[in-house]
Amino acid sequence: MEKYTSEQLNDFSKEQIISLFCALQDQLDQTNQNLDRLIEQIRLAQQNRFGRRTEKIDQIAGQMSLFNEAEEYADPDIPEPDADEVIIKAIVKKPKQKGKRQEDFHDLPQEEVHHALTDEQLDQYFGKGCWRRIKQEEFTRVHCQPATFTAEKHMVDVAVGTDGDHQDEFLRGDRPKDLLRNSVATPSLVAAILNAKYLNAMPLYRIEQQFEMNGVNIPRQNMANWTIAVSQKYLKAVWGLMKKELLHNEEGVIQADETTCQVIYDNDPKNPDDKKSAPGHKNYMWVYRTGEFNKERPIVIYDYQRTRHHQHPEEFLKEFKGILETDGLQQYHILDDSMDGITNANCWVHARRDFADAIKVLSKDNKKRAKNTIAYQALVRIAAMYKIEDALRDLSAEERLSERQKSIGPLVDEFFIWVKNCVSDTTVLPRGKTAEGLNYCIDKEKYLRVFLTNGYVPMDNSASERAIRPFTIGRKNWVIIDSVRGAQASAIIYSIVETAKLNKLNVFCYLEHLLAELPKLADEKGNIGISKLEPLLPWSDQLPEKCHKPRR
């Protein structure tokens, strides 16, 4: 805005001064809004960095009163307690449960260690014939044996014909098929590497160090080569069949999410100016899983893609017909409009997130008044829905749907009426995160209501966020992925590991079983028939018992 001198202002007419003053008011109001928004962003960043990440209303309320408990709980109307109420009665200590330690470890292999007293020792101490044996004392200690390595030296008998029809022909004894040609890798060794990297989030250099401490020298480059080789040669077939099962699951529900990763050598071959190896560039790992209520055959599928374009889920889900539950990302809404047979449902956790953030960023002076804010009222309304939903988890889909429509449906109707009234009420316009939350709910109302039409659809998308969290934890350790082949291998192995976990399998034993059996099933070209793969899937009742039990 142009700056005026006092002489120029004296020459202004009354109308010009009024117009200039109104413009300054608008400018000041906009500046204050921008300042409030910046303060809110700073407080939210500090909360995310140093505070507890929660959206539960009772815990948010607890955080509000952390620094001003006296003001928060003070109530002059509460009467003074009687003496009998103040004096705490003697606490009767609960007796210790007998035999609990033995019960905790009864499934472990048992080994008895005797600490004997010989007759000679007893005679010497008590005198001959002056003692008798009584019941032994027993106690339990748990022994741990670190990983052990064994070098298997295979001896194959060889014979040669010296006469007759097979003269000069060689005959060798049966030998197991190598997992990888001319490699020392065995199913158990590779399974241990995959288990450490993809289940325990250890980068390869730490696994290499751990092996060295046990006297085994295997460079991380070899481990990386083995990981990519077994994923492409064997595990990809299992991944493909699991994906087919996911797309045709009986409930007709898939939950999806995505997260960033950085793959160094993933340039766009059609664009010579694409600098994908530049620091900070983003690639994406997409995750798809069966609905949270699917307990019979839970499946998680990871899928690596270069970008966040809607064409990637569109291609992945082209055979799927049903309900796709996601966050509010626009790419998923495009699928709802462009693909026949797919209905997009949105997540109520994301709907409440902005309201929770609005409460967290309040200054200490405003925390006392937080319960009167629009954000807090929104959280209370959503919490009421969740309280009912939590009680319906063990019902069948039909019963759950009926109860939702009867009990939660009216609350949802009231919520959206209330949200629209808050936005239309111009007396006190909501700002910042509260305004974002209100607008988000209005924009996504169609998608947020879908769970009221199908009992198999969860109220939120937390299950897919839990499914992708192991990848994000691992990403903090290894930071980047070198190649596209490495990213694809990670997608395949994470899919198998997370699906095994959901099916309550011992991940190491299951990976070892897969890597032991798959080489036997492959034909000369490396192909494995679907009928041969089905007994190896994580929910198969033909898996060996060791895959279902904790490793001993």
Side-chain angles (χ1 to χ4, degrees):
M1 178 176 287
E2 185 180 352
K3 189 174 182 179
Y4 299 100
T5 64
S6 57
E7 290 81 6
Q8 289 175 315
L9 291 173
N10 286 329
D11 294 336
F12 277 14
S13 65
K14 179 181 178 181
E15 290 75 13
Q16 287 177 312
I17 292 176
I18 292 174
S19 175
L20 179 62
F21 185 78
C22 291
L24 288 173
Q25 279 186 319
D26 292 340
Q27 186 179 25
L28 181 61
D29 185 57
Q30 184 63 45
T31 301
N32 288 335
Q33 288 185 28
N34 292 339
L35 182 60
D36 289 343
R37 190 176 296 110
L38 286 172
I39 293 173
E40 184 181 63
Q41 290 174 354
I42 292 171
R43 286 177 178 161
L44 185 58
Q46 290 176 327
Q47 168 67 30
N48 289 337
R49 183 177 182 184
F50 301 111
R52 184 176 180 183
R53 297 189 180 186
T54 179
E55 294 171 9
K56 294 182 179 180
I57 191 169
D58 55 340
Q59 295 180 9
I60 292 176
Q63 289 180 0
M64 288 193 298
S65 60
L66 182 61
F67 297 104
N68 57 347
E69 286 184 300
E71 296 87 345
E72 179 71 18
Y73 294 116
D75 189 346
D77 297 328
I78 294 180
E80 286 292 315
D82 295 331
D84 291 340
E85 296 174 346
V86 175
I87 299 172
I88 300 175
K89 296 180 180 179
I91 299 175
V92 179
K93 187 176 180 181
K94 187 177 179 181
K96 187 176 180 180
Q97 184 179 345
K98 198 170 183 179
K100 185 176 186 304
R101 181 173 291 179
Q102 285 78 5
E103 182 182 346
D104 289 340
F105 304 118
H106 77 280
D107 285 335
L108 288 172
Q110 303 295 315
E111 179 181 335
E112 291 186 356
V113 180
H114 291 276
H115 307 281
L117 283 171
T118 64
D119 291 350
E120 290 76 9
Q121 287 176 302
L122 294 171
D123 286 342
Q124 184 179 357
Y125 186 82
F126 291 107
K128 191 168 184 178
C130 297
W131 55 267
R132 64 182 177 87
R133 294 185 182 274
I134 59 176
K135 185 178 180 181
Q136 291 178 319
E137 294 179 353
E138 291 186 9
F139 60 91
T140 300
R141 299 292 182 267
V142 178
H143 175 70
C144 175
Q145 182 176 352
T148 57
F149 294 83
T150 303
E152 296 178 346
K153 189 173 183 179
H154 291 258
M155 313 296 291
V156 182
D157 285 345
V158 182
V160 61
T162 58
D163 200 355
D165 295 337
H166 299 285
Q167 185 176 355
D168 297 330
E169 292 184 9
F170 290 90
L171 182 65
R172 292 177 173 82
D174 293 335
R175 53 167 291 176
K177 191 173 182 180
D178 287 336
L179 180 65
L180 299 172
R181 183 176 176 83
N182 296 328
S183 172
V184 299
T186 60
S188 61
L189 179 59
V190 177
I193 295 170
L194 301 185
N195 187 77
K197 178 172 172 58
Y198 295 99
L199 180 66
N200 299 327
M202 291 178 63
L204 291 179
Y205 82 90
R206 290 189 199 166
I207 303 174
E208 180 184 17
Q209 291 174 348
Q210 188 181 58
F211 279 18
E212 286 178 351
M213 292 178 186
N214 288 280
V216 179
N217 181 26
I218 300 178
R220 71 194 78 167
Q221 291 79 6
N222 288 121
M223 296 182 189
N225 292 338
W226 295 347
T227 298
I228 294 174
V230 298
S231 67
Q232 294 297 322
K233 191 172 182 180
Y234 301 116
L235 301 180
K236 188 176 182 179
V238 179
W239 179 91
L241 186 54
M242 284 168 41
K243 175 185 174 182
K244 184 177 179 180
E245 291 281 346
L246 171 69
L247 296 177
H248 298 90
N249 72 85
E250 293 181 0
E251 288 81 4
V253 176
I254 289 180
Q255 296 180 247
D257 199 5
E258 76 291 327
T259 190
T260 58
C261 60
Q262 187 173 356
V263 179
I264 296 179
Y265 298 108
D266 190 9
N267 298 343
D268 186 353
K270 299 179 183 178
N271 183 8
D273 297 326
D274 182 31
K275 303 297 183 182
K276 274 293 181 183
S277 59
H281 83 265
K282 292 181 180 180
N283 304 109
Y284 286 86
M285 189 68 78
W286 300 71
V287 67
Y288 307 87
R289 62 152 293 165
T290 48
E292 186 176 0
F293 295 117
N294 185 332
K295 305 299 183 183
E296 296 297 322
R297 292 187 174 187
I299 302 170
V300 176
I301 295 293
Y302 281 73
D303 183 42
Y304 168 74
Q305 296 294 343
R306 294 186 65 255
T307 69
R308 209 180 191 181
H309 199 280
H310 76 273
Q311 290 179 346
H312 303 312
E314 188 174 67
E315 174 64 23
F316 186 93
L317 297 166
K318 61 185 179 182
E319 297 180 15
F320 175 65
K321 304 291 182 184
I323 296 176
L324 176 66
E325 179 154 29
T326 65
D327 54 24
L329 190 67
Q330 183 60 28
Q331 282 85 329
Y332 297 119
H333 295 162
I334 294 174
L335 304 187
D336 186 279
D337 297 330
S338 64
M339 297 182 68
D340 293 334
I342 288 187
T343 301
N344 189 204
N346 276 178
C347 168
W348 276 90
V349 165
H350 285 79
R352 76 183 180 192
R353 188 157 293 167
D354 286 327
F355 300 122
D357 289 342
I359 298 296
K360 293 176 184 178
V361 300
L362 290 176
S363 64
K364 294 178 184 178
D365 297 336
N366 290 330
K367 298 256 184 198
K368 193 173 181 180
R369 299 190 295 273
K371 293 186 178 181
N372 297 323
T373 62
I374 292 175
Y376 192 88
Q377 294 173 39
L379 290 175
V380 170
R381 290 174 180 270
I382 296 174
M385 303 178 203
Y386 268 102
K387 185 175 181 180
I388 299 173
E389 175 68 14
D390 289 342
L392 308 180
R393 289 191 170 276
D394 295 331
L395 300 182
S396 67
E398 294 75 15
E399 294 171 332
R400 187 182 303 112
L401 178 60
S402 176
E403 287 297 320
R404 280 176 176 176
Q405 293 174 341
K406 181 172 66 176
S407 303
I408 304 179
L411 297 180
V412 173
D413 294 336
E414 291 176 8
F415 175 80
F416 283 110
I417 292 172
W418 174 79
V419 166
K420 292 170 184 176
N421 287 338
C422 290
V423 173
S424 61
D425 183 5
T426 58
T427 56
V428 182
L429 290 175
R431 296 177 179 178
K433 285 293 181 181
T434 300
E436 291 177 21
L438 293 172
N439 292 326
Y440 181 94
C441 291
I442 292 174
D443 293 341
K444 307 296 188 288
E445 178 180 359
K446 166 187 171 183
Y447 309 105
L448 290 170
R449 286 182 175 272
V450 173
F451 83 103
L452 296 172
T453 66
N454 188 315
Y456 287 113
V457 179
M459 191 172 170
D460 58 53
N461 197 36
S462 299
S464 67
E465 292 189 353
R466 289 193 298 270
I468 208 168
R469 188 170 294 123
F471 178 82
T472 62
I473 293 172
R475 183 182 59 196
K476 291 182 179 180
N477 292 332
W478 38 256
V479 184
I480 59 174
I481 301 175
D482 188 64
S483 66
V484 177
R485 292 176 66 231
Q488 292 171 342
S490 291
I492 290 170
I493 300 169
Y494 268 117
S495 301
I496 293 174
V497 168
E498 292 305 309
T499 303
K501 285 166 58 178
L502 287 180
N503 284 271
K504 297 180 173 57
L505 298 181
N506 180 300
V507 174
F508 169 80
C509 291
Y510 179 61
L511 289 171
E512 182 185 27
H513 179 64
L514 285 180
L515 297 175
E517 296 300 318
L518 288 170
K520 303 175 187 176
L521 305 178
D523 59 22
E524 294 179 356
K525 296 182 179 180
N527 299 320
I528 305 174
I530 292 179
S531 60
K532 296 179 180 179
L533 285 174
E534 287 178 345
L536 298 177
L537 294 177
W539 51 84
S540 171
D541 56 5
Q542 298 182 43
L543 293 176
E545 187 178 1
K546 70 174 184 177
C547 293
H548 295 279
K549 281 189 173 183
R551 188 183 174 202
R552 301 302 185 201

